[in-house]
Amino acid sequence: MGHAMKFLALVKPCRDCPFDTAVKFPLGIRRRSEIAEGLRRGETFFCHKTVNYDDDALKNDCAVESRCFGAASVLHKNGLAPMQAEQVAVRLGIAQEPREELLETDRTYGSLDDFVLDDPETA
């Protein structure tokens, strides 16, 4: 499986995805707003489980970051464009869009506004 395919490999939110409505991920409204605005601009939001936060990340060419499925799900449900990296991979033919029937979208927020306004710090 190439890097682009691994990038799109996630087809459901991870166990503690910030876009899963059942998860009270510790992000305040300011950070949630920043993430939502980035997604509206087409920026890629990576799954926190696949991001290498180590300073030696450049030395580790085995780890492949994947776009956050939960974020992709919210974009998809609202008819918004996929994240830019996903669009590029599909257009270049090095990845295929996930098939609709494989996507788990019932667990994620209904919109980016819902994601922003569900602030666990105020719950």
Side-chain angles (χ1 to χ4, degrees):
M1 184 184 299
H3 287 300
M5 291 303 290
K6 289 180 184 177
F7 172 79
L8 299 177
L10 297 178
V11 294
K12 63 182 180 178
C14 66
R15 189 177 74 229
D16 54 354
C17 178
F19 286 90
D20 186 328
T21 57
V23 174
K24 295 303 175 196
F25 201 89
L27 290 174
I29 194 167
R30 179 176 294 151
R31 180 64 182 128
R32 286 173 179 264
S33 294
E34 290 171 352
I35 293 168
E37 286 307 309
L39 288 168
R40 285 185 179 101
R41 289 190 302 267
E43 294 174 9
T44 300
F45 185 73
F46 293 98
C47 172
H48 65 281
K49 295 237 184 225
T50 67
V51 175
N52 186 343
Y53 295 102
D54 186 359
D55 288 339
D56 295 328
L58 295 176
K59 295 178 187 175
N60 182 4
D61 61 358
C62 296
V64 176
E65 293 177 335
S66 176
R67 58 96 168 96
C68 171
F69 173 79
S73 168
V74 174
L75 294 173
H76 174 79
K77 286 196 286 189
N78 287 272
L80 299 172
M83 294 174 237
Q84 286 177 349
E86 187 171 346
Q87 291 181 44
V88 170
V90 170
R91 285 184 186 139
L92 292 175
I94 54 178
Q96 295 179 346
E97 291 183 57
R99 294 195 327 260
E100 180 76 27
E101 65 272 15
L102 297 178
L103 299 178
E104 285 191 22
T105 59
D106 58 327
R107 294 172 41 192
T108 56
Y109 287 96
S111 70
L112 289 173
D113 288 338
D114 291 345
F115 165 73
V116 170
L117 296 175
D118 189 17
D119 182 359
E121 293 179 1
T122 61

